[in-house]
Amino acid sequence: MASHTGNARLRLGDARDEGAALMIVDVQRAIDDTRYWGERNNIGMEDNLEELLAYWRGGNGHIVHVRHFSRTPGSPYRPGQFGAEFKDCVMPRQGERVVTKHVSSAFVGTDLENWLRHHGVSRLVVAGVATAHAVSTTVRHAGCLDFAVTVAADACASFAVSDRRGQQWDAEQVHALSLAVLDSAFADISTTHDIVQNF
């Protein structure tokens, strides 16, 4: 199996002379609907997202807010509903890029790749939800497009997953395994503290 490790990882401290962007994925009010999703892991995610945003808003690169507008009936991410709104902790400010997607990858059906290239961005720090779904899909896609990627593990969160036979993996297991798979080929896995201290 081909690995993207050689060119798709963002190593902390490498981005000072290249374009970098913080990308926050699907952090909308929908994620608080526990009746739909169940309980998530990482209750500290919002605090870490605020810390990352404060760092980037201090002049350390571009900020991209990705939102999901679902086409699935009954989804709390359906446009026009309360759940489709950004959470307060990541509310975009003037001048920050907002990308609207309808599938898991932020690159499908959007102008995200062209926008990043136009602004000289080759390195991404990705955070958000869900680690096993939109975050993982977007990170894999970014790696395949030859962007260097770091995932802020403690600024992401997952939900429990069940298979067709009824076996269930709790949210923390799903989160940990998803990060382990990404770390093997598509991204460096880091923490908010290390990114802010060493980026």
Side-chain angles (χ1 to χ4, degrees):
M1 180 181 68
S3 172
H4 295 270
T5 303
N7 57 7
R9 292 179 171 226
L10 168 58
R11 303 202 178 277
L12 300 181
D14 285 355
R16 299 185 189 279
D17 60 347
E18 292 190 63
L22 172 66
M23 185 184 303
I24 299 175
V25 179
D26 293 2
V27 181
Q28 295 155 257
R29 296 184 185 276
I31 67 173
D32 295 330
D33 188 344
T34 56
R35 290 177 300 176
Y36 190 88
W37 305 109
E39 298 293 334
R40 74 169 213 231
N41 75 320
N42 192 14
I43 60 172
M45 177 185 72
E46 285 85 350
D47 290 340
N48 291 322
L49 287 168
E50 288 183 328
E51 186 174 351
L52 287 169
L53 273 170
Y55 177 77
W56 251 263
R57 285 169 174 164
N60 293 292
H62 297 281
I63 298 171
V64 179
H65 300 268
V66 178
R67 64 183 174 187
H68 187 67
F69 280 178
S70 178
R71 293 169 173 157
T72 302
S75 170
Y77 275 111
R78 293 278 291 185
Q81 297 186 101
F82 179 73
E85 298 174 7
F86 286 108
K87 294 197 71 172
D88 289 344
C89 64
V90 297
M91 191 64 66
R93 293 183 180 177
Q94 185 174 359
E96 296 174 355
R97 181 70 171 172
V98 175
V99 173
T100 301
K101 66 179 180 63
H102 303 287
V103 296
S104 289
S105 173
F107 292 95
V108 173
T110 73
D111 68 346
L112 177 58
E113 181 186 2
N114 288 338
W115 187 89
L116 293 171
R117 305 285 191 205
H118 176 75
H119 287 83
V121 174
S122 59
R123 299 173 178 269
L124 303 173
V125 171
V126 179
V129 293
T131 318
H133 297 96
V135 170
S136 178
T137 305
T138 296
V139 167
R140 289 165 182 258
H141 200 155
C144 290
L145 293 172
D146 210 29
F147 288 95
V149 185
T150 285
V151 176
D154 57 358
C156 298
S158 286
F159 302 94
V161 173
S162 297
D163 68 17
R164 293 176 182 269
R165 295 172 294 180
Q167 183 173 349
Q168 186 172 55
W169 291 266
D170 67 35
E172 188 59 37
Q173 290 174 316
V174 173
H175 179 74
L177 179 57
S178 300
L179 293 172
V181 172
L182 291 177
D183 193 34
S184 69
F186 297 100
D188 271 347
I189 308 303
S190 190
T191 65
T192 296
H193 178 269
D194 284 348
I195 290 167
V196 169
Q197 292 296 315
N198 300 308
F199 196 77

